[in-house]
Amino acid sequence: MPRIPAICDKCETVYLSKVEVKDCTCHIQGHVEGPCVCGGKIRILDGTYSHLGGPLNYCRASGENQTKFNHMCQLCGVELYQPSA
């Protein structure tokens, strides 16, 4: 059951949020996970998240957020769905 990575809006430190997805699709907007030690807020990127038994899929997001999310997953060790070219 993958947990969704989150990022501080001030220092850009990446964390694993407490939000888990399993065998579902969820739409997240404006979710604040909590305060960061730097004084910023730890947020989940807005978008649609899907987990259907395999890797986590992040869609309906800007290209910039998709790139950021891919990097966040690498840092947190979250397996991310990679569409075939």
Side-chain angles (χ1 to χ4, degrees):
M1 178 169 9
R3 290 171 36 198
I4 298 175
I7 190 166
C8 175
D9 60 6
K10 185 175 179 183
C11 71
E12 297 192 352
T13 299
V14 176
Y15 299 89
L16 273 177
S17 75
K18 296 175 186 160
V19 178
E20 298 176 328
V21 291
K22 181 179 180 185
D23 299 329
C24 68
T25 298
C26 58
H27 310 284
I28 296 178
Q29 184 171 355
H31 180 86
V32 176
E33 190 69 13
C36 183
V37 295
C38 75
K41 293 181 182 175
I42 301 169
R43 299 177 184 272
I44 292 177
L45 298 177
D46 292 347
T48 300
Y49 296 84
S50 179
H51 175 265
L52 302 172
L56 182 63
N57 187 12
Y58 177 58
C59 52
R60 295 191 185 187
S62 68
E64 180 183 335
N65 273 1
Q66 186 70 53
T67 300
K68 185 183 283 189
F69 187 74
N70 291 352
H71 180 67
M72 291 164 60
C73 286
Q74 287 177 342
L75 292 174
C76 292
V78 173
E79 185 181 6
L80 181 63
Y81 172 76
Q82 298 293 328
S84 53

